[in-house]
Amino acid sequence: MPTRLSTEERQTEIVAAALRLAEAFSPARITTGEIAAAVGVSQGAVFKHFSSKEAIWLAAMGRVRTQLLQSLDAAAQAAATPLAALAAVFRAHVDFVVAHPGVPRLIFHELEQPADSAVKQEVRALLQAYRKLLLRLLDAAVRQGQASAVLDQEAAATLFVGIVQGLVMQSMLSGKPATMKAQADRVFALYLHGICEVS
């Protein structure tokens, strides 16, 4: 007889299955039937916990936002200096994507949609919180003399996120998320050179 899970445990299982399917397929193509099959329950059981496929993706994005931001915050707090914290955040983000390759596919899918949605709002909240963290670290680096005193911090935060997104896109094109790690340190070294150079 299968183990009876709590509502929260079953929801976590359903969300995890949806994100695993997103590693190989566009979220738009994934059906609730396929999610149910991946979990090993009926489609009715899925709808017992989520009202729609959109509700599953919303829960998935909410969990991603919480887990990723916690990971990035922990990496930053464990570092001794602002520049070390930026490097740690960069590595933590790369590690997260390598461990959860379905996440960027979900995010990119949502950002492609012309209409606003609850899922897109979660993505926006994640990016805003991420940017706030980066700006705090960049400002600390400037104040402590680790980065250029004339650094455009807004542009530096945008570039940081853009570098990660570029690595993610290349890994998705190659179908090998782990390739991000091979390039990450070299790419980040160039970023550090740029923000530390005095104009």
Side-chain angles (χ1 to χ4, degrees), residues 101 104-105 108 167-177 179:
R105 193 179 294 274
F108 287 139
L167 287 171
V168 169
M169 288 296 291
Q170 289 184 59
S171 72
M172 289 174 70
L173 287 170
S174 70
K176 299 175 182 177
T179 59

Side-chain angles (χ1 to χ4, degrees), residues 1 8 21 23 33 49 83 126 140 171 174 176 178:
M1 185 174 179
E8 185 176 351
L21 288 169
E23 294 176 15
H49 296 286
L83 285 188
L126 167 60
S171 72
S174 70
K176 299 175 182 177

Side-chain angles (χ1 to χ4, degrees), residues 44-129:
V46 170
F47 284 119
K48 179 181 175 184
H49 296 286
F50 292 101
S51 60
S52 64
K53 187 173 73 168
E54 178 79 2
I56 296 173
W57 293 129
L58 178 59
M61 200 60 239
R63 288 173 198 234
V64 165
R65 176 161 70 105
T66 298
Q67 291 172 2
L68 178 57
L69 290 176
Q70 285 177 345
S71 175
L72 300 181
D73 281 331
Q77 290 176 20
T81 68
L83 285 188
L86 283 168
V89 166
F90 188 83
R91 285 192 295 271
H93 193 167
V94 169
D95 288 344
F96 187 89
V97 173
V98 171
H100 307 283
V103 170
R105 193 179 294 274
L106 171 58
I107 290 175
F108 287 139
H109 167 74
E110 284 303 319
L111 294 179
E112 286 174 354
Q113 306 311 307
D116 203 5
S117 68
V119 181
K120 187 179 284 188
Q121 289 168 14
E122 278 288 339
V123 174
R124 192 178 299 122
L126 167 60
L127 293 175
Q128 288 171 346

